[in-house]
Amino acid sequence: MRQNKAKFGFVFDRGLLKEEELGFRVFDPPKGAPPFSDLRCLFKDGRWQEPQITTEETLTAHKTAGCYHYGHEWFESLAAHMAKDGRCLLFRPKDHAARNRRSSEILLMEVVPESLFLEMVREVVLNNSPYLPRYGTGGRLYIRANLLGVNRQLGLGESFEYLLVIFAYPVGNYYPTGLQSMKLYCSPRYDRVAERGTGQAKAGGNYLTSYPAKKLAKTKGCGEYLYLDTATRKRVLETGSANFFGLRADRTFITPGEMETEVLRSITNLSLQTIARKLMGFKVEKRPLYLKELFSKGRHRFMEAAICGTAARLTPVNAILYENFYGRHPRLAHFPDVNKTTGPWCHELYDHLVAIQHGDEEDRWGWTEEVRL
Ligand code: PLP
C-alpha cells in the first residue's frame, strides 16, 4: 500500500514550503513536491474492503446518500509530530480510535475496527511523510478521518454502506494569533447540541450552530462562542471546536465533566488534566462548571482559562463576555493572570504537552506512537 518512501519533512528541508506559511488550511502541493494522498476504505456487503490509496481530491457518493441528506457521518482528527531526532510521533492514536468507535455507536454507524483505523492512519502519515513539518517550527501533520454513510436511500434510516476516508495536511496554528490569548463570547442565544443529543459524537451536525454563533462572537469582538447547557443555560460547556477549562487560584483545574453528554471528550483536555495533576500538583475537577463560578472572587477566583483541542492545542482565554439572549446586560469575567499572550500555568501546561508530543519530555503515559519510515 505504501506510496512514498521520501524522508520525513523533505518538502520543508528543500524549501518547497515554509512552516511559517502553513496556518490551518488546504492548499495545492508546491511545485516540485509530491501530491497529497489519502486512503479510502469501503464497507460493503457486510465487510471492510482493502483500503485504496488515491490522490483524487473529491469524493463521489450517490445523490441520496445519508451523509448528504441526514448528516450520517462522523469525523476524527489527530496529529503527528516530528521529534528532534527526526522520528515521527503520532499522539494518542488509540484514544482517537476509541472516540470514533463511540461516534459510530452513538450515530448507529458501522464501527471501524481499531486495527483498520490505526493501520490506515500510519499509512497516510507515511504516504504524506514529505509534508511532516520539521521539529521546532510549531508545525505538525494534521490527520483527518471521515466516515460517511454512502448507500442509496431516500428515507431517513441507518446506512449500510460506508466510506472511510483518511487524509493529512501539514498545519501551523489554528488561530493566526497562536498563543495569543482571546476573549470568548457567551450567551444563551445559540445551543451547540441538545442535552440528550449527539454531543459526545464528533458528528458534522454538531458543528452547525457554530456558524452563526461564531459570527455573533466576532461582531462582539471575541474569538469564539462559549456554549451553555440547553437545560438551564447556567453551565458552560465548550466552544464550537474545543473544550474549555479554568484554573482556579487554589490550584484547581476545572473542566465541564465527563457526565456532560453535550461535551466532546477531548483527548487534549484529558492529556492536560493528567499533566496538571501529575506534573504540576493541581487538583482536577471534571464536573458541571457554572458560569457564575467564573465571576468568583477570593480563593475561588479563576486566574486563567483556556480552550483546547488537537487543532487549537491550548489557546488562552483572557476574558468571557456574557450577554443575555437579546444581547443585553453584558458582564465580563476577566482572568487576571492571562496577559496578551498567556498566563504562567497555561504556559507550563502547553510546554509539557508540546514537549511530550515531540518526544522532548519522557512519555510517562505511553501517549506517543512512532511511525517508522
Ligand atoms: N470539542 C469539539 C467540539 C471539537 O471539535 C474538538 C476537536 O476535535 C475538541 C473538543 C477537542 O478534542 P481533541 O482534543 O480530541 O482534538
Side-chain angles (χ1 to χ4, degrees), residues 75-78 91 95-96 99 142 144 174 192 199 201-202 206-207 210 227 238-244 262-271 308-313:
F75 68 101
E76 186 60 47
S77 3
L78 63 161
F91 190 64
D95 296 283
H96 286 278
R99 190 169 64 190
Y142 180 79
R144 257 294 164 85
Y174 186 66
R192 192 179 89 92
K202 206 162 154 57
N206 292 345
Y207 292 78
S210 291
Y227 290 100
E238 63 175 332
T239 65
S241 57
N243 272 189
F244 174 83
E262 307 103 308
V263 175
L264 190 77
R265 198 161 180 262
S266 155
I267 289 150
T268 314
N269 191 355
L270 291 171
S271 310
C308 63
T310 300
R313 276 190 160 169

Side-chain angles (χ1 to χ4, degrees), residues 315-326:
T315 302
V317 170
N318 54 44
I320 296 173
L321 171 63
Y322 173 81
E323 286 183 337
N324 70 11
F325 187 88
Y326 303 100

